[in-house]
Amino acid sequence: MVKVGTKPTVKKEGNKTTTTTYKLDKEGNVIVDKVTVKEDQKTEPNTPQPQPKSESLAENAGKVHPQTKSLLESGLASTRFVNTGADLANNLGMRQLTQIDDKKGIQVFGAVGSSDFLTEKQDYLDVRGGHVLVGVGKQFNNKAGKLHTGVYVEGGSGKYDSLNKFANNPSVRAEGDTKYVGVGGMLQQQFDNNLIAEAGVRLGETDTNYNSNDLQDSTGYINVNYDVKRKYTGAHVGLGYQVDINDKLTATPSAKLLYTNIDSAEKLIEGSTFKFDAINSFRSQLGTDVSYKVTDKTDVYTNAVWEREYQGDADGSVLGLDMVAPSLKGNTGIVGAGVHFNPREDIDINMDVKGKFGKQEGGEVGMSVKYTF
């Protein structure tokens, strides 16, 4: 029989502890008041603990989900692809523009290119596709020398895939399509003292989609896909100096600054609003172009360029939390070679190939044509 004032009884069975307390009823008898069963949460020292699942795609334990970094790769792919279009305009397009003769009035020029560039090697972004531009241009003679001006429409269509690895989460592979369409204008002044100055502007819109089956939320793996359109603007300025080594061989060292802006955007993904910040790419290019005149109608040329990307960060946020941002920032070496020939009086053709190494790796081939009506 339990006596009045008896302390609670405690009984252990395995990892369960049962505690019983007592009280008096109206007749003065001792009865059970409360029984509490508690499960011991302690585990053996070497027992592996299960990893908690993510609360959502956006958030994990009050912090931004690290896998969301992959969602920002679509904006980086757009930037990389639009920049490659800029390089086509500023290189082959500009080369073709400056071959316009003032005696033939307004002339049509165009360029096409195909590229495949890999950014980084561990966490990577691989962007590949084709680019085209078509424009009209004219040469003007002035007191300082020759001024070439042109306007053009441009476009590109390609694909990308990315891989992001994480210390405590599964890796994420993603893929998508990217394209752009826009307009641009450029000019180059060739001074009588062999100094060269050039500039260009461009604007348009990108359309990029994203697809991955590797992201996770509280239910496990999920398929995430979305499409986003963003405006782009760009500009560049450059200076060069043509050195005539002899009547056939010339060398032209140059320096360029190039800027691209991809507008900000918002997208509702898996119930959360993701904010994609504007992406600003600011590059410098220092290089030298060497040209050799083989015949009156054929030139061959080679070039080497060191490119530095100073920004190129794809920032974003969700639920007020900053996401881990992938970036294009870094140094890239570029080497190339090409040929220019004039098979007929009304046609000029340039063909070249380039390779890149460093922050970006890969290659591109291109061709440009000028036609006189």
Side-chain angles (χ1 to χ4, degrees), residues 269-336:
I269 304 172
E270 294 297 313
S272 298
T273 300
F274 286 79
K275 296 182 178 180
F276 303 132
D277 294 351
I279 303 174
N280 293 298
S281 168
F282 184 67
R283 297 179 291 155
S284 63
Q285 293 179 344
L286 298 174
T288 299
D289 186 283
V290 177
S291 177
Y292 181 77
K293 193 174 189 63
V294 180
T295 68
D296 290 340
K297 294 187 176 183
T298 304
D299 303 317
V300 293
Y301 55 88
T302 184
N303 41 58
V305 175
W306 169 58
E307 178 181 282
R308 169 70 177 174
E309 171 64 77
Y310 297 92
Q311 297 182 352
D313 300 321
D315 296 310
S317 62
V318 59
L319 302 177
L321 303 170
D322 290 335
M323 301 157 66
V324 179
S327 177
L328 295 173
K329 186 182 298 182
N331 298 305
T332 300
I334 308 170
V335 293

Side-chain angles (χ1 to χ4, degrees), residues 204-220:
E205 184 179 69
T206 70
D207 186 355
T208 303
N209 59 48
Y210 172 98
N211 184 71
S212 177
N213 294 310
D214 291 343
L215 291 112
Q216 291 183 308
D217 65 3
S218 59
T219 65

